[in-house]
Amino acid sequence: MASPGNDATTTPSIDDAVTDNNLQPFFVLQKGSLRKSERNLSGAVKTRRKIDLSSASPKASEDVEDEREEENMKLRMEAFEIVWSKVESTIKDVLRDINTSVFREIQNWVHESFNTIKSLGTPDFPEATQSFPIVRDANSKKLFTGLVFTQNMEYVDDLLTFEELGKHLKSRGCHVANLSSLDFTTKNGIGGCLRSLLRQFLMSTPDVTDMSILASWYGEQNYANPVVVVIDDIERCSGSVLSDFILTLSEWVVKIPVILIMGVATTLDTMRNKLASNALQHLCPYEFTLGIPAERMDAIVKAVLLKPCSGFTIGHKVAVFMRNYFVSQDGTLTSFIRALKVACSLHFYVEPLSVILRECVLEEDNWESGIEKNGLSPELMLKYAYDLPSCQSDEMTDQTSESLAQAFSELKRLQNEWRAVVLCLHEAGKGGKVRLLDLYCEASDPESYNKRKAELDKDPDLPPTGPILIKGNAISEAIRLVRDLSTVQLGKLISIWESLTTGTEVYHRVFALKLLLKMEDGKSSKKDSTVTSK
Amino acid sequence: MAREESSPVTRRTTRSYSTSNNGVESTKPIEFYKPTLQDLGFRQPPLSFEDLLSNFPGRRAQILELLRLLGPLNSPMFPILVYGGPSTGKTSVTLQLLFHRKNSGNSYSSSKRCEKPSDFVNYLREALESVIENLKGNLGKSSSKSSEQPNGTMIYLVFDNLELVRKWDKSSTILPFLFNLSDILKMPEVGIIFISNTSPDTFYSNMGYMEPITLYFPDYTEDDLRQIFMANQSNRKLYSSFLDVVLRPFCRVTRRVDELSAAFSLLFKMYSEPLSDKEAALNEEMKRRLFSQLQPRIASVLNETFQVPSQPLLRAKSIQESMKKCSSKMPGIHEDHDKMDFHMSTSAKYLLISAFLASKNPATLDASLFDSFGGSDGRKRKRKASEKSREQKEMAEQELLMKGPGTFPLERLLAIFQCITSLAEDPFDEEGSHDLTIEGGSSGLMSDVLLQLSSLCNANFIIKGGSCPLEGSTRYRTAVSEELALKVARSLKFPLSKYLYRR
């Protein structure tokens, strides 16, 4: 996070150049991938607006205007930095939280296995540092191995995960070395990975790579802590080198209690195919499973887009594009986050009013009052604001800053309402694996809203049935799930909804629903009314 | 990675011993090791000959032979090559014998493990230098004491895992050198012992050298194995009844002690689980009950141990529980068949399927399978197959099976990919608005294919082969099992079996 004390007007000019340079590639990239996608500053409540660069640039080519434009751009880029760093840190926290339970499980297992190894006995020093005598009993040559299933074919997302895992274990007193598949190449042979191991444990690279060096190092550590070797992705390791490595470690395991943790991206079959059987037989595996990518994605979407985070959201089309890319093309969170960043930077680049988001991040409460300080002249800002198509269509008459401020707070309120409802839907759809990202895409679709509005315009007394119950639709799927719930489950769901909607208008409806449920075991025809309120 | 272990059993004290053939009993057995560590090679004080024999059940003949070859203490010897299958006690016996021979003041001066030939050469040189130095020292000492020639200081160089040397680049020169070592050194004090997994024939080369005396360690017999496993058991009765059950079926599969003991330790846990009082006397009825409980699990362990012993206990337990619930399922099959175990993007799935098809189907069939009619009735010609042609066809099928998955160039893969993605129903048509389908539909699937291909290669699903010498283009091959391919196809609702040749 950038420090909040940074005043907007005192930015050095070098910064300007830097941001300009930084931004340019993003802009180009954006053009390539999301062609004419539209952004909406105002969330889904207002209608979308087209990007109109010409309206943003001042028509009169006066120097003052130019300067002001430049100034404004600088501020916007600053705001971008602030907003993005907020988003980024949120994502990081979310990802860390999602893994905590697995990490704790792994850590417990590591200590348990260490105790098991210790119970076999501790060799004395000269004994422990030589490769002979060799261990004869096959059971004490067992190498405890944690197989961490990442559940994603692409390994990019999990590089960070394994790094974090290493840090986590280190903080719990283990000696940790993170090896990657690059250490297990046939070119370098087993010497390569041993060298990397020694480098990480001993903090120096000896000329000779020998396990006895490691053993004597471990002897200096008083045999107190487990040695954990984390291997990122065994899919890309060379099988023969890995097998040799395992054989070597297993011979030494009594002397150096090594515990292996291996990331498996696909299935257990990989292990069978990769490793030689005599190496496999030394493994004593345990299995850990990380969350599937879709779950992580939901967590990110929830934290970044649906919980009040930065004020920056993505519109329908961008969301759909990103979703489709995630599902059908890439499937990594990394590229999703990158796309989010691109969208964010473009938003700040083209939208003159985007600078307001800065205040949104820095001081959540006085959102409106901060408008004056952000470098835009009030008139210009009003002009921009009332150029937004939503304002044009709503025929607001008085173009004053008061009404603008009012509009902002109204917008914020509506956004909160909307978010609460989407989260409620997600909660309802959890049992049926309805993905939050799908819900988000659908719920932010302006067309369904327009359709609904048109229907209501035609016939205002239309009963509040479900919006558009297309089969396979995420929203209708969620609603269907609610209909199938038993009374007890429904009661539970409603109490969750209550906590989700606290402070919003929808809360009253949920509350009413709760009362209704208490009075009679009535079914959930009312639920749909909450849905339509979007 | 070969292990070169030079164990110059040098004696610094020049105490003369009334040395006989065997039974060199050390006068002061020093406890080198903590007794808790029951699994290291030689924690015991030097053994008597009887202990030695009883320590290695079934190795009596080999021990005697080896002792004979080693000769009396500190006498010159010819090079020996000890060989036999893995886990037959070669290394242990050899080292134990040397230990048996050596005296309390001695220890391994160095034991090295080397990964590279160059390391090996260095270690060898070091070892030889130290040998010479030791000898010099000893000779100096011995000359001062003016006794007979080599003064009873034998130095043994033991080369374990010799078969690994063959894989090295320079093995053709190193091996004859090693075998010739004793000739080159011309030092009767140096005894050389090679230990290898493979028979001496595999080391044969044209270079002339004196062949070492060979000593074969055969696989253990069932009785030997029983003795070995009974050796350190606390509850002998229970364990022996356990061995009655398991030893015979397992012996048919393997006789390697290490494999067996890994399997048995797991099974024994299962076996003795129902017993509340482990020390209670076993009656016949109890045995029968235990046996009936264990029997269904033996088969799975038999399979697992020798293919994939990596079955996590936790998971195994949960499987057992789930198996109890639905007993109709086969044991050992634990994957949920309808669910993919991991996430893959849609286009990667299609690419995987097309690679699978490209590997399994002959290229000549592509046109008929993927023509514009969708391949549902591509082949019309149904000539009556004569006996002979059917035979030929069977031969061809056999051949196809033996050859494994075929290779294919990138172009073919992409062509198939395009066909099946355009044929497959648009996966995004459930998306509400129309313009989305255009953006994210099958046309969109094509965009990042090469990226997907590289990640499939990374995950070992597609193997990038060498380039074809004639065409010069890189060829690919799938390593996907049919099971996985079907699973992927099912998750896409893609009719894979329709496109598979001979299905």
Side-chain angles (χ1 to χ4, degrees):
Chain A
M1 280 279 321
S3 69
N6 232 359
D7 201 351
T9 46
T10 56
T11 329
S13 59
I14 309 153
D15 207 356
D16 188 17
V18 169
T19 42
D20 230 285
N21 284 341
N22 276 349
L23 191 74
Q24 211 52 41
F26 292 145
F27 182 59
V28 174
L29 263 177
Q30 171 78 4
K31 274 224 140 166
S33 54
L34 320 170
R35 262 147 299 154
K36 269 219 134 185
S37 47
E38 289 145 303
R39 220 135 316 284
N40 61 24
L41 161 74
S42 48
V45 184
K46 310 250 166 133
T47 48
R48 296 161 294 131
R49 59 170 296 243
K50 285 240 151 42
I51 297 165
D52 196 353
L53 277 168
S54 63
S55 82
S57 61
K59 288 193 175 71
S61 58
E62 288 165 37
D63 286 353
V64 192
E65 285 288 285
D66 275 354
E67 227 168 70
R68 184 168 277 175
E69 179 68 8
E70 205 170 278
E71 175 86 348
N72 181 250
M73 178 63 87
K74 200 161 61 184
L75 285 170
R76 264 157 32 199
M77 286 310 115
E78 216 174 88
F80 165 68
E81 297 288 333
I82 292 169
V83 167
W84 183 251
S85 65
K86 167 91 178 163
V87 171
E88 208 167 28
S89 66
T90 312
I91 290 175
K92 237 182 175 171
D93 289 347
V94 167
L95 287 180
R96 193 180 307 128
D97 288 348
I98 232 173
N99 287 327
T100 4
S101 62
V102 184
F103 282 4
R104 203 170 298 136
E105 210 179 304
I106 293 176
Q107 178 216 330
N108 286 340
W109 166 80
V110 163
H111 283 284
E112 257 171 48
S113 340
F114 178 63
N115 289 337
T116 319
I117 299 174
K118 285 278 274 193
S119 69
L120 293 171
T122 322
D124 52 3
F125 192 80
E127 192 68 5
T129 48
Q130 290 175 3
S131 54
F132 281 86
I134 55 169
V135 180
R136 253 198 293 164
D137 181 13
N139 281 329
S140 51
K141 281 209 230 168
K142 286 270 177 202
L143 201 57
F144 285 91
T145 312
L147 301 177
V148 181
F149 286 85
T150 61
Q151 307 237 50
N152 192 354
M153 194 187 73
E154 311 273 352
Y155 66 96
V156 221
D157 286 347
D158 296 304
L159 294 181
L160 190 72
T161 312
F162 284 106
E163 212 170 280
E164 291 274 338
L165 176 64
K167 273 185 210 154
H168 178 88
L169 290 176
K170 234 176 231 170
S171 71
R172 298 297 189 284
C174 306
H175 305 289
V176 184
N178 277 69
L179 298 184
S180 78
S181 55
L182 295 178
D183 296 315
F184 293 94
T185 52
T186 27
K187 197 178 139 220
N188 289 332
I190 187 154
C193 49
L194 285 184
R195 193 165 299 126
S196 157
L197 208 62
L198 289 174
R199 193 174 52 234
Q200 292 193 39
F201 283 130
L202 274 68
M203 308 292 174
S204 67
T205 349
D207 298 333
V208 210
T209 51
D210 194 27
M211 282 298 279
S212 57
I213 301 172
L214 196 64
S216 54
W217 163 80
Y218 188 67
E220 287 160 21
Q221 313 290 319
N222 291 328
Y223 307 99
N225 288 314
V227 178
V228 181
V229 177
V230 184
I231 303 172
D232 275 344
D233 47 338
I234 63 155
E235 264 81 7
R236 299 192 308 151
C237 298
S238 146
S240 61
V241 179
L242 192 58
S243 301
D244 280 350
F245 184 64
I246 287 171
L247 285 177
T248 314
L249 287 185
S250 73
E251 263 168 40
W252 283 87
V253 75
V254 181
K255 300 158 195 170
I256 318 167
V258 174
I259 292 161
L260 269 184
I261 293 178
M262 303 203 263
V264 185
T266 53
T267 57
L268 204 59
D269 284 329
T270 327
M271 304 279 297
R272 296 169 209 192
N273 298 338
K274 266 254 129 100
L275 296 176
S277 72
N278 55 347
L280 267 183
Q281 157 197 318
H282 287 302
L283 299 183
C284 182
Y286 284 82
E287 181 183 312
F288 303 96
T289 312
L290 298 177
I292 59 171
E295 268 167 20
R296 294 200 223 178
M297 173 67 89
D298 280 0
I300 287 182
V301 170
K302 193 172 178 178
V304 174
L305 299 178
L306 287 170
K307 288 265 170 69
C309 161
S310 62
F312 170 75
T313 57
I314 52 173
H316 174 64
K317 282 204 167 181
V318 182
V320 167
F321 178 86
M322 278 162 69
R323 175 195 165 274
N324 285 349
Y325 193 74
F326 176 72
V327 171
S328 68
Q329 298 282 343
D330 195 42
T332 60
L333 293 178
T334 316
S335 61
F336 182 82
I337 294 166
R338 203 170 291 156
L340 198 64
K341 187 171 185 178
V342 169
C344 188
S345 68
L346 183 63
H347 172 73
F348 279 92
Y349 188 73
V350 296
E351 294 289 341
L353 278 182
S354 58
V355 73
I356 296 169
L357 277 180
R358 176 192 146 87
E359 309 303 323
C360 170
V361 173
L362 294 184
E363 38 201 311
E364 203 85 35
D365 295 332
N366 350 333
W367 216 40
E368 306 83 43
S369 67
I371 292 173
E372 262 76 48
K373 311 190 274 185
N374 52 36
L376 284 177
S377 75
E379 315 85 61
L380 196 61
M381 196 173 64
L382 284 178
K383 189 172 110 35
Y384 285 147
Y386 288 102
D387 269 351
L388 290 170
S390 57
C391 294
Q392 284 173 340
S393 65
D394 278 0
E395 299 145 12
M396 274 200 205
T397 40
D398 49 340
Q399 302 195 350
T400 60
S401 58
E402 282 82 48
S403 71
L404 184 63
Q406 207 181 349
F408 272 128
S409 56
E410 173 72 3
L411 163 67
K412 209 179 162 194
R413 190 184 63 80
L414 284 173
Q415 244 178 350
N416 282 342
E417 302 275 321
W418 182 80
R419 283 170 173 162
V421 174
V422 173
L423 285 178
C424 283
L425 278 173
H426 178 230
E427 201 57 50
K430 256 183 187 168
K433 299 237 158 52
V434 175
R435 290 288 159 222
L436 186 56
L437 188 56
D438 297 355
L439 270 180
Y440 184 90
C441 290
E442 258 172 61
S444 61
D445 186 2
E447 256 165 50
S448 67
Y449 171 77
N450 287 343
K451 220 184 271 174
R452 175 81 192 148
K453 200 173 172 228
E455 272 175 38
L456 279 175
D457 284 347
K458 252 188 269 165
D459 182 9
D461 301 327
L462 209 67
T465 52
I468 348 108
L469 286 173
I470 305 167
K471 201 166 162 279
N473 199 310
I475 292 179
S476 49
E477 179 71 11
I479 292 167
R480 194 186 56 72
L481 281 168
V482 174
R483 282 189 182 138
D484 295 344
L485 287 180
S486 69
T487 321
V488 184
Q489 287 168 316
L490 194 62
K492 266 186 211 157
L493 181 65
I494 286 178
S495 56
I496 297 173
W497 280 4
E498 254 186 303
S499 63
L500 281 175
T501 54
T502 317
T504 61
E505 257 175 36
V506 197
Y507 176 75
H508 302 296
R509 297 212 191 184
V510 175
F511 194 69
L513 205 63
K514 197 180 170 190
L515 289 180
L516 196 70
L517 190 77
K518 268 186 187 163
M519 288 203 324
E520 39 154 349
D521 292 352
K523 275 283 166 181
S524 56
S525 64
K526 268 262 173 171
K527 220 119 311 98
D528 303 339
S529 68
T530 49
V531 170
T532 45
S533 76
K534 92 189 170 66
Chain B
M1 170 199 62
R3 192 190 304 135
E4 177 239 329
E5 189 242 5
S6 63
S7 54
V9 190
T10 51
R11 190 169 2 135
R12 258 165 266 124
T13 54
T14 44
R15 290 168 58 182
S16 61
Y17 271 87
S18 57
T19 52
S20 64
N21 219 2
N22 41 39
V24 184
E25 196 52 76
S26 165
T27 44
K28 38 170 190 173
I30 294 173
E31 281 283 328
F32 280 112
Y33 314 93
K34 286 183 186 163
T36 46
L37 200 64
Q38 289 301 313
D39 34 64
L40 284 180
F42 328 98
R43 83 218 85 82
Q44 315 95 328
L47 300 160
S48 71
F49 183 59
E50 283 69 36
D51 285 347
L52 185 67
L53 286 182
S54 64
N55 241 12
F56 296 100
R59 288 286 94 114
R60 188 187 177 87
Q62 284 76 34
I63 290 173
L64 289 176
E65 176 71 10
L66 194 55
L67 277 177
R68 195 181 62 77
L69 291 174
L70 286 176
L73 185 68
N74 298 326
S75 65
M77 58 174 272
F78 288 112
I80 305 174
L81 173 67
V82 179
Y83 72 99
S87 194
T88 48
K90 302 177 298 294
T91 308
S92 311
V93 168
T94 312
L95 295 182
Q96 193 78 34
L97 277 183
L98 292 177
F99 185 77
H100 167 71
R101 279 305 179 74
K102 76 174 196 172
N103 293 298
S104 51
N106 305 329
S107 63
Y108 302 99
S109 75
S110 65
S111 56
K112 293 271 164 61
R113 155 189 302 279
C114 51
E115 287 83 40
K116 282 183 301 194
S118 59
D119 287 353
F120 177 77
V121 172
N122 287 335
Y123 285 143
L124 188 59
R125 206 187 58 216
E126 272 173 35
L128 289 176
E129 275 170 4
S130 73
V131 163
I132 290 166
E133 236 151 71
N134 272 322
L135 277 180
K136 269 182 195 160
N138 280 326
L139 283 176
K141 268 185 207 163
S142 59
S143 61
S144 68
K145 292 211 173 169
S146 74
S147 52
E148 68 285 313
Q149 254 277 325
N151 197 23
T153 43
M154 259 324 259
I155 292 167
Y156 296 103
L157 290 177
V158 181
F159 299 89
D160 201 348
N161 292 2
L162 190 67
E163 72 278 357
L164 290 173
V165 179
R166 284 184 303 151
K167 289 186 195 148
W168 296 349
D169 301 337
K170 305 247 169 68
S171 66
S172 55
T173 53
I174 286 179
L175 276 174
F177 167 70
L178 284 180
F179 286 129
N180 260 336
L181 204 56
S182 66
D183 261 7
I184 298 169
L185 287 175
K186 288 207 176 27
M187 284 191 282
E189 296 93 341
V190 181
I192 295 173
I193 302 173
F194 304 104
I195 302 177
S196 158
N197 272 343
T198 53
S199 82
D201 301 337
T202 53
F203 298 107
Y204 179 78
S205 73
N206 285 331
M207 314 271 284
Y209 55 84
M210 194 177 69
E211 286 199 12
I213 302 164
T214 58
L215 176 62
Y216 177 57
F217 275 57
D219 280 355
Y220 289 112
T221 63
E222 205 179 311
D223 289 338
D224 298 338
L225 285 172
R226 173 178 282 274
Q227 274 188 47
I228 291 169
F229 281 107
M230 288 303 292
N232 291 320
Q233 288 310 318
S234 51
N235 191 348
R236 296 180 70 88
K237 257 192 177 160
L238 184 64
Y239 205 78
S240 121
S241 70
F242 167 71
L243 284 183
D244 286 339
V245 182
V246 293
L247 196 55
R248 188 165 292 268
F250 274 88
C251 269
R252 276 187 221 122
V253 187
T254 182
R255 298 207 168 159
R256 289 178 54 170
V257 179
D258 50 352
E259 287 180 345
L260 285 174
S261 68
F264 285 177
S265 66
L266 184 72
L267 274 175
F268 186 62
K269 226 173 267 166
M270 291 179 186
Y271 186 75
S272 58
E273 208 172 39
L275 287 178
S276 49
D277 182 14
K278 303 256 156 84
E279 299 304 316
L282 277 176
N283 49 17
E284 278 305 308
E285 190 203 348
M286 189 57 134
K287 274 187 195 170
R288 223 169 292 134
R289 224 190 60 205
L290 288 178
F291 172 68
S292 62
Q293 283 206 346
L294 188 67
Q295 202 183 17
R297 297 179 188 175
I298 290 181
S300 72
V301 176
L302 258 177
N303 284 331
E304 300 251 309
T305 327
F306 309 116
Q307 290 164 10
V308 196
S310 61
Q311 212 29 258
L313 274 178
L314 292 174
R315 189 170 171 178
K317 261 183 201 159
S318 69
I319 292 156
Q320 279 160 24
E321 273 156 27
S322 66
M323 250 160 44
K324 273 175 202 159
K325 279 174 201 157
C326 45
S327 52
S328 60
K329 272 192 180 171
M330 284 276 290
I333 297 173
H334 30 260
E335 261 95 5
D336 194 351
H337 272 276
D338 300 327
K339 220 184 99 221
M340 287 279 292
D341 295 329
F342 52 94
H343 175 90
M344 258 169 118
S345 59
T346 317
S347 82
K349 283 178 181 170
Y350 275 115
L351 198 62
L352 185 69
I353 290 177
S354 28
F356 181 71
L357 286 175
S359 254
K360 287 279 148 134
N361 292 346
T364 44
L365 272 180
D366 282 357
S368 61
L369 281 175
F370 301 108
D371 62 0
S372 51
F373 300 108
S376 54
D377 50 359
R379 280 164 290 167
K380 281 173 210 151
R381 51 199 176 93
K382 277 195 176 168
R383 256 181 290 145
K384 271 243 168 164
S386 70
E387 193 73 9
K388 198 170 184 188
S389 72
R390 203 181 301 149
E391 229 167 63
Q392 271 177 348
K393 209 177 157 195
E394 262 170 29
M395 292 274 281
E397 277 161 18
Q398 285 275 335
E399 203 184 313
L400 207 68
L401 201 71
M402 301 293 276
K403 271 184 185 163
T407 62
F408 49 86
L410 183 63
E411 289 77 18
R412 186 167 165 232
L413 176 70
L414 292 183
I416 295 179
F417 178 72
Q418 196 169 24
C419 284
I420 63 172
T421 45
S422 63
L423 279 175
E425 50 172 3
D426 199 9
F428 297 101
D429 56 359
E430 67 254 31
E431 201 66 53
S433 54
H434 189 68
D435 52 344
L436 300 178
T437 31
I438 297 164
E439 212 175 343
S442 55
S443 60
L445 281 178
M446 282 301 285
S447 63
D448 261 346
V449 164
L450 291 180
L451 193 73
Q452 300 297 327
L453 186 66
S454 78
S455 51
L456 280 173
C457 284
N458 276 339
N460 282 324
F461 287 140
I462 297 180
I463 295 166
K464 201 169 163 184
S467 56
C468 171
L470 289 177
E471 295 169 41
S473 62
T474 319
R475 293 185 76 89
Y476 295 83
R477 195 161 59 81
T478 37
V480 185
S481 66
E482 187 158 345
E483 196 188 346
L484 183 67
L486 283 172
K487 216 186 266 180
V488 170
R490 224 175 287 134
S491 74
L492 286 173
K493 299 194 176 64
F494 177 80
L496 177 64
S497 47
K498 240 165 78 180
Y499 291 95
L500 266 182
Y501 174 58
R502 227 187 66 71
R503 206 122 264 282

